[in-house]
Amino acid sequence: SLGLASEQIRPQLAKEKIEGCHICTYVMPGEPQVVLGKDKAFTYDYVFDMDTQQDAIYTHCTERLIEGCFEGYNATIFAYGQTGSGKTYTMGTGFDVNIGEDELGIIPRAVNHLFRGIEERRQAATEQGRPVPEFKINAQFLELYNEEVLDLFDSARDLEARKQKSNIKIHEDANGGIYTVGVTTRTVASAAEMMQCLKLGALSRTTASTQMNVQSSRSHAIFTIHLCQVRVCSPDNNDNETDNRLANNSEIDEFETLTAKFHFVDLAGSERLKRTGATGDRAKEGISINCGLLALGNVISALGDRSKRSTHVPYRDSKLTRLLQDSLGGNSQTVMIACISPSDRDFMETLNTLKYANRARNIKNKVMVNQDRASQQISALRTEIARLQMELMEYKTGKRMVGEDGMEGINDLVHENNMLQTENNNLRVRVKAMQETIDAQRARLTHVLSDQANQALAKAGEGNEEIGNMIQNYIKEIEELRAKLFESEAVNENLRKNLSRASTRSSLYGGPALLAPEKESRYFNQPLPPNPLF
């Protein structure tokens, strides 16, 4: 879902410290909440303070999205904030030569994670003796400059071509997915090759200096990774045991094709012309940037408000929102990272950014696995086969039956059998509990009888501990024999009734009558002898 918003506070710059700017943000300890000023509190899914390392941001925000791509889910992550708030640094498209391994941004870490995951899946399939999955990775790098979609992988593009109208077209497929026509697509085979493509594209990106940022991004950049995977259908895809047996017994491996696209969006910063001091082309760029961000904000507001979502979402107001249409309100797991400045002179810009991100949390996308039609049909057929096998098993066991009127129904005997089984289980539990109660009562009765015998001996003056123990053992044995006798008498009574019923049935059919054994019945019908101790 898009309802995952995180907020990152960059450290104060040296220039801000020299100019005496105060920190106006405070992160609640142990809570994903940031307080701006004295009383403006905002809660997000994650909040990263000024001392947070890049790996923590990647682990919480992006790691699970890459894992989702391997299962066929689209993903998008974009950074939003005012100019100079650290978006390019967070995304990792700055490519500073002095940057360390621990300061790598989201995109380099995601690329390494992606190719590491591919290698792990290939190795696991080889070790388990299964067909090795095939992967194909493509990359695209687009720039939105003054409402024109430009291709950063186009090596022929120069400054003069920048002023000309772009030939790149944005289209929507039957399923609501957005795709572009006329964009250079590069097939990539390794993480190093992917990073080289990203670096070359980032160096072609439009940047310029303003009073707020020495190297300000003057365009929105969208780096897209397309992942196509062909793998053996996993039996875990369906929880039906019958389906699993069918898949295991089949000698022919069934393959499925999964596709996923991952957008990394580095938005240009919102800016005020008064503070940036922009004039001429810089001012025109700033106005275009703000128009795109305004359209993005309107789309987020419309998607977050359920009453407006059913009417109209203005995706076509900007090419930025049109490109991100299926990421914002479609089939994608999307994360928004709001980058803010902690200085009090940026108070209003920071407040607007926090409100912007807070609205994004209200959007909920319904994500679906991207399978080709053949894989979808195979999955549907496997499910249908499992259902039919289960139905056939119900006919064989008598659970289902066809009535005289030709209507299918559930056999009443099955219901009755289920009820009897439930009752039988309940009775077993009760019998077990009653047996434990009988044992406890028998032990208590033995103890009481032995105490009475000891008291009688003590009154007679012949009390002895050994005699008392012997009497207790005798009484215990007598009680056990008495209980067995009761049980045998009940069994005998039951047998006598069965014999009597059988003899009656035989006499009705003219056969020889069976007589009950009188000796045994005479023995069991004798009254119990009185206890000699009492």
Side-chain angles (χ1 to χ4, degrees), residues 448-484:
V448 170
L449 291 175
S450 61
D451 284 347
Q452 291 180 359
N454 288 333
Q455 289 176 5
L457 288 172
K459 289 179 181 179
E462 299 176 0
N464 191 321
E465 186 176 353
E466 293 182 2
I467 297 175
N469 291 336
M470 189 181 299
I471 291 172
Q472 185 173 357
N473 291 333
Y474 283 149
I475 293 173
K476 185 177 181 181
E477 187 176 357
I478 289 170
E479 290 304 320
E480 289 178 355
L481 291 171
R482 189 186 294 268
K484 288 180 180 179

Side-chain angles (χ1 to χ4, degrees), residues 132 171-172 337 472:
V132 178
H171 295 286
E172 182 176 355
I337 300 179
Q472 185 173 357

Side-chain angles (χ1 to χ4, degrees), residues 169-174 177-181 261 323 326:
K169 304 297 181 184
I170 306 171
H171 295 286
E172 182 176 355
D173 61 23
I178 301 298
Y179 65 97
T180 52
V181 177
K261 64 178 179 179
L323 277 170
D326 56 350

